[in-house]
DNA sequence: CTGGGGAAGGGGCCC
DNA sequence: CGGGCCCCTTCCCCA
């Protein structure tokens, strides 16, 4: 009976078939049963070790790689299988069939390439907070998606960027069990990517429109803890889970630090959630926590910036005159820009850094111009348009009406129509007054260059009733003198 | 359900 | 290189 059951198992288990140990006849009572997956894994592991040993002994190495003057030797078939860059390089014309292949790299350091090469041959990625950006940049250059994904997860956990609760466990398993499978795994990933995001399961967070606001277990995770476990060992025994790593984008709109406490939470590109946009209704402890977290995140962002290599990535294009056009590649995504400054600006959408807070509502912005636009539109009623009838108003025919920290203009007719005798109206002159001298982002006096709509980290949050159309008397002069 | 408007974010590029 | 402007896209709210 038992024998019959096991025979059925052998026939039915499919992918995870069981096999008898060598030497056992089918008539004997089986002593040990082997899982096909275990055999495969053991074989892969052994093969990888052999290849790595051959590399270290420079046996059968047919590829010479010169990185900033330092020579590395490797096997072209391994490189071909591990890196999209080498796939392109080695498959270009008859050169790929040459007896030996030479390549020179100056865009990353030998130390970085050592990490990459060790990963290719061992499945272990030696990441630290000091090398992660450079490794990621090199992996991007070499088109090694699995390494990029490991780096993304590493950075993300270091930055304490939140992910959804339901994803957190999976993410942990990713970092713990990401398969090496540098040959098949990478290939599979690329195939998945070629099939488009919809085919990748689960879909990347960037593409989702999940309303979940839950925070992940990454929140509060100690950076040091991550650093101490900086060697992200991949487990060759697991399937190619690195697809899951792809599902977590560094730029997480669910990040509570992504916007201000109480302010609109942006979901995906461009959108805002304005429900409760008359903000600052969150309770004080949460504000304190978020303030602290925000400070920590700013520090992490600074650290991230500090570790950025001098050139994050350079891609050569050619113009009509066949002259190369240099571009800077974002280490976190595929975006390239012409100017380094533009890249720096772009990086804020990955780091979540929002250095420009609004004094009125404490909402934060990535750019000064966005803050200015926000303040003028929301809090200063710069638009000479009646909010109700949309007609053009002038300083004589329109009045500024306050709604919480928001201000807008209404024409005299609309105000009378609303029939609010007690509508508090700011004088237009007051609304148009230029703010007084202010504090900069860092709380240092910076003169006229910084306007009153910028708030320091230590400033009290502006009160905002958040009530619907509660019109309050606002003294412009007092407010702006502050 | 749908379209328009408002607000916000991001990219390109000029000064 | 930073600031600023322009333009586009995206999302939400509301009629």
């Amino acid at each position: 009976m038992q024998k019959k059951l096991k025979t059925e198992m052998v026939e039915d288990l499919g992918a995870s078939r069981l096999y008898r140990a060598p030497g056992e006849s089918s008539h004997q009572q089986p002593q040990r049963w082997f899982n096909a997956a275990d055999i495969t894994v053991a074989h892969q592991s052994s093969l990888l070790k052999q290849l790595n040993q051959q590399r270290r002994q420079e046996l059968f190495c047919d590829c010479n790689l010169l990185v900033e003057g330092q020579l590395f030797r490797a096997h072209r078939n391994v490189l071909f299988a591990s890196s999209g860059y080498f796939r392109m390089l080695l498959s270009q014309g008859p050169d790929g069939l040459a007896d030996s292949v030479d390549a020179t790299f100056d865009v990353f350091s030998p130390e970085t390439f050592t990490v990459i090469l060790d990963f290719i041959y061992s499945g272990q990625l030696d990441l630290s907070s000091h090398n992660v950006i450079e490794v990621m940049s090199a992996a991007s250059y070499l088109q090694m998606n699995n390494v990029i994904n490991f780096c993304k997860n590493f950075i993300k956990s270091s930055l304490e960027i939140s992910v959804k609760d339901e994803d957190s466990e999976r993410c942990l398993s990713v970092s713990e069990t990401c398969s090496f499978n540098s040959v098949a795994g990478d290939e599979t990933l690329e195939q998945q990517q070629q099939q488009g995001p919809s085919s990748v399961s689960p879909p990347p967070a960037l593409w989702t429109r999940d309303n979940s606001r839950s925070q992940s277990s990454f929140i509060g995770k100690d950076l040091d803890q991550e650093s101490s476990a900086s060697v992200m060992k991949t487990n060759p025994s697991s399937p190619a889970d690195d697809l899951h790593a792809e599902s977590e984008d560094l730029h997480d709109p669910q990040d509570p630090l992504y916007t201000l406490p109480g302010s609109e939470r942006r979901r995906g590109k461009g959108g805002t959630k304005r429900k409760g946009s008359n903000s600052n209704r969150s309770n004080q402890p949460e504000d304190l926590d978020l303030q602290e977290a925000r400070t920590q995140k700013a520090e992490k962002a600074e650290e991230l910036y500090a570790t950025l290599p001098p050139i994050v990535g350079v891609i050569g294009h050619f113009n009509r005159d066949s002259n190369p056009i240099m571009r800077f590649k974002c280490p976190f995504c595929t975006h390239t820009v012409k100017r380094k400054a533009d890249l720096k600006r772009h990086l804020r959408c990955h780091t979540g850094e929002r250095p420009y807070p609004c004094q009125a509502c404490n909402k934060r912005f990535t750019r000064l111009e966005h803050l200015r636009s926000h303040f003028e539109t929301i809090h200063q009623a710069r638009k000479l348009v009646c909010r109700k009838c949309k007609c053009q108003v002038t300083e004589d025919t329109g009045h500024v009406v306050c709604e919480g920290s928001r201000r807008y203009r209404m024409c005299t007719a609309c105000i009378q129509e609303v029939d609010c005798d007690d509508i508090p109206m700011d004088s237009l002159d007051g609304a148009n007054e230029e703010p007084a001298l202010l504090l900069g982002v860092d709380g240092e006096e910076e003169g006229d260059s910084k306007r009153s709509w910028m708030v320091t980290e230590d400033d009290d949050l502006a009160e905002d009733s958040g009530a619907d159309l509660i019109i309050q008397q606002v003294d412009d002069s007092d407010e702006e003198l502050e």
Side-chain angles (χ1 to χ4, degrees), chain A residues 22 35 57 73 127 150 154 159 195 208 216 256 266 279 337 346 357 377 384 388 401 411 426 469:
Chain A
N35 189 303
Q57 296 173 354
R73 304 205 67 199
L127 284 183
F150 295 153
F154 184 89
L159 285 173
Q195 291 165 7
T208 61
S216 99
R266 184 169 180 82
S279 55
V337 294
H346 166 81
T377 304
L384 295 173
K388 192 167 185 297
V401 177
C411 62
D426 292 347
L469 200 59

Side-chain angles (χ1 to χ4, degrees), chain A residues 395-435:
Chain A
E395 295 186 359
D396 296 327
T397 63
H399 298 277
V400 174
V401 177
C402 296
E403 176 188 346
S405 64
R406 289 193 169 211
R407 297 182 186 186
Y408 49 84
R409 290 170 195 268
M410 288 177 74
C411 62
T412 309
C414 287
I415 288 177
Q416 290 174 350
E417 192 176 324
V418 173
D419 192 24
C420 291
D421 294 336
D422 55 347
I423 285 183
M425 293 167 292
D426 292 347
S427 73
L428 288 174
D429 294 340
N432 288 330
E433 276 175 12
E434 199 63 27

Side-chain angles (χ1 to χ4, degrees), chain A residues 336-392:
Chain A
T336 61
V337 294
K338 283 183 181 176
R339 295 175 59 227
K340 215 173 177 178
D342 285 339
L343 178 61
K344 186 177 180 182
R345 187 178 69 176
H346 166 81
L347 282 173
R348 286 192 191 137
C349 75
H350 293 295
T351 63
E353 186 190 18
R354 286 168 178 269
Y356 303 106
C358 171
Q359 188 178 35
C361 66
N362 214 26
K363 182 173 172 60
R364 305 177 75 92
F365 298 87
T366 57
R367 295 194 210 167
L368 190 61
E369 67 203 79
H370 288 165
L371 169 59
R372 181 187 300 111
S373 172
H374 158 83
F375 190 85
E376 291 180 356
T377 304
I378 302 299
H379 305 300
Q380 272 198 325
R382 289 276 190 187
K383 288 184 179 177
L384 295 173
V385 175
C386 173
R387 185 181 175 92
K388 192 167 185 297
C389 67
K390 312 294 182 191
C391 69
Q392 293 288 329

Side-chain angles (χ1 to χ4, degrees), chain A residues 209-337:
Chain A
R209 290 289 181 265
D210 196 324
N211 288 334
S212 167
R213 294 186 177 201
S214 58
Q215 297 177 2
S216 99
S217 60
F218 280 114
I219 291 293
K221 200 174 188 178
D222 193 354
L223 177 61
D224 295 337
Q225 184 184 339
E226 283 295 316
S227 300
S228 64
S230 60
V231 178
M232 300 179 72
K233 293 190 177 182
T234 58
N235 182 2
S237 66
S238 66
D241 284 344
D242 50 345
L243 284 178
H244 290 183
E246 180 74 5
S247 72
E248 296 300 333
D249 195 274
L250 180 66
H251 175 45
D252 191 344
Q254 305 297 334
D255 189 348
L257 305 179
Y258 191 62
T259 54
L260 269 188
S263 66
E264 295 91 348
R265 178 179 296 267
R266 184 169 180 82
R267 297 185 300 171
K269 182 182 178 182
T272 56
K273 185 173 180 62
R274 285 195 295 279
K275 188 171 284 184
S277 61
N278 287 334
S279 55
N280 305 331
R281 277 183 281 181
S282 56
N283 58 41
Q284 202 64 19
E286 285 180 357
D287 284 347
L288 290 174
D289 289 345
L290 286 169
Q291 287 275 8
E292 186 178 349
R294 191 170 60 219
T295 305
Q296 288 177 2
K297 181 164 184 177
E299 291 170 358
K300 301 287 167 52
E302 282 180 14
E303 183 183 346
L304 187 62
Y305 285 134
T307 57
L308 279 173
I311 297 176
V312 179
V314 179
I315 299 173
H317 293 282
F318 295 90
N319 59 17
R320 292 176 183 175
D321 301 328
S322 298
N323 294 323
I325 300 173
M326 306 305 283
R327 293 181 71 87
F328 297 91
K329 184 184 178 304
C330 172
F332 304 120
C333 69
T334 58
H335 182 63
T336 61
V337 294

